[in-house]
């Protein structure tokens, strides 16, 4: 053996050993992820250690917390004494205005009032303990505070039979029948989870029968999308069609629910030619599909077909949630290439900048993204149940613990609705696409900072000059409205921003006639200067009713030319809602 042979042999062995080690690590973490609901233990420990080590070296903060504990105990003791003497029942701690756990009148009676006050004071103490520790990074502080709230919410007296007056009363009145019914509900859900089955869609909300029923045809299909063209509803239509790009994280028919709240039907009734993308529900075979494929086979392919079918030179594009983010990237790429086929863009609860994307980003760091990648490696996609769990944590009181109380302890299944049925009709996310999305957008915020690459060129939202109608919702936990509002700062477009009441979905599905709806609307710029979100909210005009009416007026104002006869329908592949939406 020569010296050169001796020195070259170890390198392949080293690479093989490394690949084997990586494979073992990936398989191990993929298995571990099943036990941690996709949360990286290393990431959690990192957040905790930052807080714990700084707390350990902060005697002043410790003293402050000790004094607060004494004060809370003193206030609680005085409260119990006042209640015992029946002189004064004024509470020493008040629940948050949005906290619905303690609204039942029984919480004002002994001993339940004591349980409630003890819990609220404990909550108050942990809020102080997990915030304001000198030296702790902002990200770690928010993560530790969020984790503490999740633990406390699990221990709330509202979650237990003996400490919840509403459940106690129901149990007494029903002679325990509610607990028997709750046990049945739990058994059904547990068995379904064990078998990894989805909840059945209620008979009253069947896709193509009672929801997603606006008449239309699938006029184009590729591996990722079906393109639906809806039948015209008026004798004359606007000259430029509308193309809707929904998020691939959800089924498209959130925008075509029941006839009375369908955005698609509303648009066709107002004289628009409407096209909708229906995304494929990916499986293991789609693991290697990335953001590039979603852009090319999604909005770009659809745009080509819309123009081919209608003959229109320009199209009004609408993007919802992640669909809006993808549409923004496509629009920036088109602008860079001098492609001016977009007449306008409407962004519904969509973000271009993810630096302030709310609590959903608390645990998105290198450790967590790597952990999620390992979890997706096993199946080739992120399972819908895992995604749903992350969103439920953001509103655990409403979506987790309230469900436990009502379905398992009170024995009451909620009345179904079209929105709830749609919410249960979940989708998956391909391995590569979701990894790229998390890394390049959530983690590194590449698009807003001009580092996102498309076809070898770095893009920035500053490329976009197409008029934009952007919508944010007041209680959005997925795309906080102040994050969506940044559209005006990031682009060089004329941006009209609307802030409507409601959450990420209910605020968007806000049809005319929907009770208790209001919104604010205004330009994001005044005298060529960007208006900060808080100042905009104070100055914007306030309107009662649905923002859909203002949006339709805006769309019509940005049309070019007079109304025309409806264009011919494209060659039909099948009737709407198509086949991809049926994939479970």
């Amino acid at each position: 053996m020569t010296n050169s042979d001796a020195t070259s042999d170890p390198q392949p062995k080293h690479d093989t050993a490394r690949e084997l080690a990586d494979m073992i690590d990936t398989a191990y973490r993929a298995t571990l992820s099943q036990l941690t609901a996709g949360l990286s233990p290393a990431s959690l420990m990192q957040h905790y250690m930052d807080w714990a080590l700084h707390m350990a070296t902060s005697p002043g903060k410790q003293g402050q917390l000790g004094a607060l504990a004494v004060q809370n105990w003193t206030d609680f003791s005085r409260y119990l004494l006042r209640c015992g003497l029946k002189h004064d029942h004024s509470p020493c701690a008040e629940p948050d205005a949005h906290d619905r756990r303690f609204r039942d009148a029984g919480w004002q009676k002994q001993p339940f009032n004591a349980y409630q006050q003890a819990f609220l004071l404990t909550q108050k103490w942990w809020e102080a303990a997990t915030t304001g520790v000198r030296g702790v990074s902002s990200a770690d502080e928010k993560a530790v505070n969020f984790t503490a709230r999740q633990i406390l919410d699990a221990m709330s007296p509202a979650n237990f039979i003996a400490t919840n007056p509403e459940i106690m009363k129901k149990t007494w009145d029903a002679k325990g029948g509610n607990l028997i019914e709750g046990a049945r509900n739990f058994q059904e859900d547990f068995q379904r989870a064990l078998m990894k089955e989805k909840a059945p869609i209620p008979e009253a909300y069947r896709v193509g029968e009672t929801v997603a029923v606006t008449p239309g045809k699938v006029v184009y299909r590729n591996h990722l999308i079906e393109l639906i063209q809806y039948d015209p509803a008026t004798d004359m239509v606007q000259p430029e069609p509308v193309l809707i790009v929904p998020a691939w994280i959800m089924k498209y028919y959130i925008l075509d629910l029941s006839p009375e709240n369908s955005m698609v039907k509303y648009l066709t009734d107002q004289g628009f030619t409407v096209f909708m993308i229906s995304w494929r529900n990916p499986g293991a075979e789609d693991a290697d599909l990335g953001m590039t494929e979603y852009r090319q086979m999604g909005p770009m392919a659809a745009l080509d077909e819309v123009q081919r079918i209608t003959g229109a030179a320009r199209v009004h594009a609408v993007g919802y949630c992640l669909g809006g983010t993808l549409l923004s990237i496509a629009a920036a790429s088109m602008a860079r290439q001098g492609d001016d086929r977009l007449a306008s863009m409407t962004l519904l609860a969509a973000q271009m900048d993810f630096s302030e994307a709310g609590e959903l980003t608390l645990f998105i760091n290198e450790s967590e993204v790597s952990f999620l990648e390992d979890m997706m490696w096993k199946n080739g996609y992120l399972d819908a149940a895992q995604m749903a769990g992350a969103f439920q944590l953001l509103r655990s009181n409403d979506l987790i613990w309230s469900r436990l109380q009502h379905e398992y302890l009170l024995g009451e299944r909620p009345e179904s609705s079209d929105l709830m049925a749609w919410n249960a009709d979940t989708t998956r996310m391909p391995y590569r696409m979701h990894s790229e999305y998390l890394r390049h957008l959530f983690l590194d915020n590449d698009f807003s900072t001009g580092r996102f690459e498309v076809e070898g060129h770095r893009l920035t939202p500053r490329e976009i000059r197409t008029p934009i109608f952007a919508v944010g919702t007041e209680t959005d936990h997925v795309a906080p409205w102040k994050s969506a509002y940044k559209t005006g700062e990031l682009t060089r477009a004329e941006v009209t921003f609307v802030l409507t009441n409601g959450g990420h979905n209910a605020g968007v599905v806000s049809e005319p006639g929907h009770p208790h709806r209001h919104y604010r609307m205004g330009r994001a710029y005044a005298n060529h200067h960007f208006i900060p979100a808080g100042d905009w909210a104070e100055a914007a005009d306030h309107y009662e009713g649905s923002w859909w009416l203002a949006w339709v007026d805006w769309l019509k104002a940005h049309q070019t030319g007079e109304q025309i006869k409806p264009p011919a329908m494209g060659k039909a592949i099948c009737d709407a809602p198509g086949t991809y939406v049926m994939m479970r």
Side-chain angles (χ1 to χ4, degrees):
M1 181 182 291
T2 65
N3 287 338
S4 62
D5 290 335
T7 56
S8 62
D9 280 346
Q11 184 62 36
K13 291 180 181 178
H14 174 73
D15 289 343
T16 301
R18 180 175 179 177
E19 290 175 5
L20 179 61
D22 287 345
M23 186 176 296
I24 292 172
D25 290 345
T26 298
Y28 174 77
R29 287 193 293 263
T31 302
L32 180 62
S33 68
Q34 306 301 314
L35 304 176
T36 64
L39 288 174
S40 166
S43 178
L44 290 172
M45 187 58 68
Q46 177 184 327
H47 296 310
Y48 172 76
M49 290 304 296
D50 184 19
W51 170 78
L53 289 173
H54 282 92
M55 176 65 81
T57 56
S58 303
K61 179 69 174 180
Q62 294 175 30
Q64 178 190 2
L65 292 173
L68 179 59
V70 172
Q71 182 63 52
N72 284 349
W73 177 251
T74 302
D75 291 344
F76 184 59
S77 300
R78 288 175 177 170
Y79 173 76
L80 293 179
L81 181 61
R82 291 198 307 270
C83 290
L85 296 175
K86 297 185 179 180
H87 292 319
D88 185 7
H89 289 76
S90 301
C92 49
E94 293 282 359
D96 183 85
H98 301 292
D99 191 342
R100 296 183 292 183
R101 290 174 293 186
F102 305 113
R103 292 185 178 180
D104 188 84
W107 289 106
Q108 308 307 317
K109 301 176 182 178
Q110 298 182 25
F112 305 105
N113 58 345
Y115 303 151
Q116 179 218 48
Q117 290 295 295
F119 174 77
L120 293 175
L121 289 170
T122 302
Q123 191 172 252
K124 177 182 175 182
W125 188 90
W126 275 104
E127 177 69 22
T130 55
T131 57
V133 181
R134 185 175 174 80
V136 179
S137 72
S138 175
D140 289 339
E141 178 182 277
K142 290 175 181 176
V144 170
N145 178 262
F146 178 82
T147 303
R149 281 190 281 118
Q150 300 307 309
I151 296 171
L152 284 170
D153 287 344
M155 300 170 62
S156 168
N159 297 338
F160 304 96
I161 299 173
T163 54
N164 186 318
E166 185 179 6
I167 297 172
M168 286 281 284
K169 183 177 186 304
K170 180 67 178 288
T171 304
W172 177 267
D173 292 344
K175 297 180 173 60
N178 57 307
L179 300 181
I180 296 173
E181 193 61 34
R184 289 197 189 99
N185 293 340
F186 177 80
Q187 182 183 15
E188 289 176 6
D189 293 344
F190 181 76
Q191 184 174 354
R192 195 174 293 124
L194 203 62
M195 302 299 293
K196 295 185 178 180
E197 297 175 348
K198 291 186 177 181
I201 302 298
E203 290 289 340
Y205 303 107
R206 293 287 185 184
V207 177
E209 297 177 15
T210 53
V211 296
V213 294
T214 303
K217 305 288 184 183
V218 172
V219 293
Y220 173 77
R221 177 188 290 149
N222 62 31
H223 183 72
L224 262 182
I225 73 165
E226 288 183 333
L227 181 65
I228 301 170
Q229 180 181 6
Y230 291 95
D231 295 347
T234 55
D235 294 334
M236 302 292 286
V237 298
Q238 298 296 326
E240 296 166 341
V242 174
L243 169 63
I244 303 177
V245 184
W248 56 87
I249 197 174
M250 57 180 72
K251 296 290 181 72
Y252 84 85
Y253 66 93
I254 177 66
L255 301 176
D256 186 26
L257 286 171
S258 303
E260 62 271 15
N261 61 4
S262 166
M263 180 180 287
V264 168
K265 183 177 185 301
Y266 181 73
L267 286 173
T268 57
D269 286 346
Q270 298 301 311
F272 289 93
T273 301
V274 180
F275 291 80
M276 173 77 77
I277 287 176
S278 174
W279 295 99
R280 179 187 186 88
N281 195 3
E285 71 279 6
D286 302 310
D288 290 331
L289 295 176
M291 292 288 287
T292 296
E293 287 76 19
Y294 268 75
R295 178 181 57 83
Q296 292 176 340
M297 300 172 71
M300 298 311 299
L303 181 60
D304 291 341
E305 286 300 313
V306 170
Q307 289 192 297
R308 184 188 64 79
I309 292 169
T310 64
R314 308 188 78 202
V315 175
H316 297 264
V318 181
Y320 184 21
C321 187
L322 298 188
T325 302
L326 184 65
L327 176 61
S328 300
I329 292 170
S333 179
M334 291 171 67
R336 187 179 188 87
Q337 297 168 13
D339 186 341
D340 64 351
R341 289 181 290 168
L342 294 183
S344 76
M345 275 204 314
T346 297
L347 301 177
L348 309 176
Q351 301 171 96
M352 296 183 188
D353 179 282
F354 290 83
S355 60
E356 297 179 81
E359 291 183 329
L360 195 61
T361 62
L362 287 181
F363 299 96
I364 300 298
N365 52 29
E366 182 61 39
S367 174
E368 178 60 29
V369 172
S370 298
F371 199 67
L372 285 172
E373 287 173 341
D374 292 338
M375 182 174 67
M376 292 187 291
W377 165 84
K378 184 177 180 181
N379 295 323
Y381 55 79
L382 184 66
D383 187 75
Q386 292 160 333
M387 282 190 294
F391 290 121
Q392 286 174 346
L393 281 176
L394 299 182
R395 297 174 54 204
S396 59
N397 280 341
D398 293 331
L399 300 180
I400 297 177
W401 304 117
S402 178
R403 180 186 176 191
L404 178 148
Q405 296 159 25
H406 285 86
E407 296 191 28
Y408 303 151
L409 299 181
L410 291 173
E412 301 170 349
R413 289 287 197 193
E415 289 187 20
S416 58
S417 67
D418 52 8
L419 190 58
M420 289 177 62
W422 164 84
N423 193 53
D425 194 4
T426 51
T427 58
R428 298 175 288 272
M429 301 263 269
Y431 169 74
R432 182 180 168 198
M433 187 281 301
H434 195 48
S435 174
E436 291 176 350
Y437 172 70
L438 287 176
R439 284 192 176 278
H440 295 302
L441 296 175
F442 261 87
L443 186 59
D444 297 331
N445 206 19
D446 283 346
F447 184 46
S448 70
T449 54
R451 298 192 302 268
F452 193 92
E453 288 194 9
V454 170
E455 298 174 358
H457 297 286
R458 291 188 172 187
L459 294 181
T460 169
R462 298 288 291 173
E463 309 274 2
I464 302 173
R465 300 191 180 187
T466 303
I468 295 174
F469 189 95
V471 179
T473 63
E474 291 177 349
T475 56
D476 197 331
H477 294 269
V478 179
W481 78 264
K482 289 184 179 179
S483 183
Y485 179 77
K486 287 187 175 183
T487 299
E489 181 180 14
L490 294 169
T491 66
R492 286 186 288 181
E494 165 209 304
V495 177
T496 299
F497 190 78
V498 165
L499 177 61
T500 180
N501 65 320
H504 186 70
N505 298 318
V508 171
V509 183
S510 182
E511 72 283 358
H514 194 294
H516 313 301
R517 288 302 187 199
H518 60 260
Y519 63 96
R520 283 170 275 185
M521 184 171 71
R523 293 284 183 86
Y525 270 83
N527 300 321
H528 304 289
H529 294 288
F530 178 71
I531 307 171
D535 295 341
W536 178 92
E538 290 183 7
D541 293 328
H542 188 279
Y543 301 89
E544 294 297 324
S546 168
W547 61 267
W548 288 12
L549 294 100
W551 176 43
V552 161
D553 289 342
W554 185 90
L555 280 175
K556 289 180 178 178
H558 285 82
Q559 292 279 328
T560 303
E562 300 297 322
Q563 290 189 336
I564 61 173
K565 290 185 177 181
M569 298 287 290
K571 184 178 179 181
I573 297 174
C574 64
D575 289 335
T579 59
Y580 284 2
V581 73
M582 302 297 184
M583 299 173 69
R584 297 201 82 196

